[in-house]
Amino acid sequence: MHGPASPGWLLVALCAATGAYCLLRMRSAVEEQRRAAGGEALMGFGMAAMAIPAAVFTPPGWAWPVYAGVFGAAAVRALWVSRARPHHLHHLVGASAMVYMAAVMADSPASASGHAHGHAGAGVPLLTGVLLLYFTGYVLVAGARLLPVQVPVAVPAGAVGSRSGSGVAWGDRPELARACRLSMGIGMLAMLLTM
């Protein structure tokens, strides 16, 4: 992606950490969570690879069609799965956005010449705007879902301490999965803005 190197490396770190956590989530005992985590790990690592600052590493010309093919296959899979589980439509939008960004980067003059000098290949403004609106809304909703809700809990008389030993594995913690999705949404927004 185009843009300054420091924010680019922060985006790479955020996306790679998210992908790594999603790999950890693939060890969950819940089958649905494992399936979603696999797609999210692919998205996180793919975003990290695409976000490497162009001033540091310019991918070869064949890399962008490969990205488009991989995320195109992920989009087809998400479309297939969303027939039975409509919440997978977000995965379809995310994978399609990655295909779009890969196509824009493949078509950019910076990609063809091996130099990254600005925002010449910014894509279709209307489509970029729609994706920006979608991911902005997604980030706001996902962030709101992370806000703590006070739920009264009855504590038996004589009980001391907290419920820290609840036995929930790291891969099964719903708040961490939501934070993972939120960080990928923020990463997608950053990538669309710097395209």
Side-chain angles (χ1 to χ4, degrees):
M1 307 305 321
H2 301 298
S6 293
W9 284 117
L10 290 174
L11 184 58
V12 169
L14 174 73
C15 294
T18 300
Y21 176 69
C22 290
L23 284 179
L24 178 65
R25 284 183 40 227
M26 287 181 68
R27 296 178 53 201
S28 172
V30 181
E31 182 179 353
E32 178 61 29
Q33 203 163 342
R34 283 193 310 266
R35 286 185 185 155
E40 291 168 359
L42 172 69
M43 185 68 71
F45 287 126
M47 288 172 62
M50 283 180 76
I52 294 173
V56 176
F57 173 72
T58 302
W62 56 264
W64 300 116
V66 169
Y67 282 132
V70 167
F71 286 105
V76 169
R77 181 187 178 283
L79 180 63
W80 183 259
V81 172
S82 67
R83 293 175 312 120
R85 297 178 200 97
H87 63 273
H88 281 272
L89 287 173
H90 170 71
H91 295 280
L92 173 64
V93 173
S96 299
M98 293 293 283
V99 170
Y100 169 66
M101 286 189 286
V104 168
M105 295 306 292
D107 195 38
S108 75
S111 163
S113 67
H115 296 88
H117 294 297
H119 302 274
V124 180
L126 179 62
L127 183 53
T128 304
V130 168
L131 288 170
L132 282 169
L133 284 174
Y134 173 80
F135 283 104
T136 300
Y138 180 81
V139 164
L140 291 173
V141 169
R145 288 182 181 158
L146 282 175
L147 294 175
V149 176
Q150 293 294 334
V151 178
V153 177
V155 179
V160 180
S162 65
R163 299 183 303 166
S164 62
S166 63
V168 177
W170 281 101
D172 291 330
R173 299 189 60 102
E175 68 276 9
L176 291 177
R178 287 187 197 114
C180 171
R181 293 180 187 115
L182 174 64
S183 65
M184 281 197 292
I186 292 169
M188 190 68 77
L189 270 174
M191 290 175 71
L192 285 166
L193 286 171
T194 60
M195 195 169 64

